[in-house]
Amino acid sequence: MSCCVFSYCSGEPTAVSSPSSRASANRGVVLLLASSDVLHAIRSPFVNVVLIDVRSAEHFRRSHIEEAICCPCAHELDKELVLRSPAFETIRGKMTPGALSSAFAADKPLKEVGSCVVVYDSCGDTADSCGPAAVLAQMLVDLEMVPEVGRLAGGFQAFQELNAAVT
């Protein structure tokens, strides 16, 4: 697993990689994002954040981040099923290279940067964890479905505690 951790406070990406998978220059990237940064991006008029919730359908029905797409157990899907899945067809080719990095840079965008994907689960990811959101995020990058994808640090619980707009 390979990811970059973005800190809104410093605005500087810090590379974090496991020995088993190092990102190459021509591959996509997985970014670990703070809940506060994701909330800011969702509310920004300059970025379109596509949220993918990999928690169970029951948890999603009870509560989820507004406008999230429910993909329970998406992290367990075979790569071929992901490639053919209608849920993931909505994001294929529609994400803007660099939009995620631009949306979460210290200098927030003042013009449209495009669309990006953020994946979350209930476990709460860290730079070293390999939860369901981390697995799906890496799969999306490996399959070249998105140029970059964000993982929500702290998962849904951290976001829910922060955000009053959770439905």
Side-chain angles (χ1 to χ4, degrees), residues 22-90:
R22 303 245 186 242
S24 66
N26 60 352
R27 278 191 47 206
V29 64
V30 177
L31 303 175
L32 184 62
L33 306 168
S35 296
S36 57
D37 291 345
V38 173
L39 179 60
H40 185 271
I42 290 169
R43 292 180 176 173
S44 170
F46 303 115
V47 62
N48 175 38
V49 180
V50 177
L51 296 157
I52 299 177
D53 184 333
V54 298
R55 299 174 308 138
S56 71
E58 179 182 333
H59 283 107
F60 183 85
R61 274 191 298 277
R62 277 193 245 151
S63 186
H64 59 274
I65 300 173
E66 191 174 343
E67 297 186 30
I69 299 168
C70 180
C71 294
C73 302
H75 60 283
E76 296 174 0
L77 292 176
D78 177 85
K79 289 182 180 185
E80 290 300 317
L81 290 175
V82 171
L83 284 170
R84 294 189 312 252
S85 168
F88 293 107
E89 191 61 40
T90 62

Side-chain angles (χ1 to χ4, degrees), residues 11-166:
E12 297 298 320
T14 305
V16 179
S17 300
S18 72
S20 63
S21 174
R22 303 245 186 242
S24 66
N26 60 352
R27 278 191 47 206
V29 64
V30 177
L31 303 175
L32 184 62
L33 306 168
S35 296
S36 57
D37 291 345
V38 173
L39 179 60
H40 185 271
I42 290 169
R43 292 180 176 173
S44 170
F46 303 115
V47 62
N48 175 38
V49 180
V50 177
L51 296 157
I52 299 177
D53 184 333
V54 298
R55 299 174 308 138
S56 71
E58 179 182 333
H59 283 107
F60 183 85
R61 274 191 298 277
R62 277 193 245 151
S63 186
H64 59 274
I65 300 173
E66 191 174 343
E67 297 186 30
I69 299 168
C70 180
C71 294
C73 302
H75 60 283
E76 296 174 0
L77 292 176
D78 177 85
K79 289 182 180 185
E80 290 300 317
L81 290 175
V82 171
L83 284 170
R84 294 189 312 252
S85 168
F88 293 107
E89 191 61 40
T90 62
I91 64 170
R92 184 191 316 265
K94 296 179 183 163
M95 299 301 110
T96 310
L100 191 65
S101 299
S102 296
F104 293 97
D107 296 327
K108 295 300 179 192
L110 299 176
K111 62 179 184 170
E112 182 71 30
V113 296
S115 299
C116 60
V117 175
V118 175
V119 179
Y120 69 92
D121 57 28
S122 58
C123 300
D125 284 346
T126 66
D128 299 322
S129 78
C130 197
V135 172
L136 178 62
Q138 192 64 50
M139 183 184 295
L140 293 174
V141 166
D142 289 346
L143 293 173
E144 298 178 355
M145 293 185 77
V146 294
E148 55 193 357
V149 60
R151 290 171 32 211
L152 181 58
F156 179 71
Q157 182 177 349
F159 189 90
Q160 186 177 33
E161 291 170 2
L162 174 70
N163 180 22
V166 174

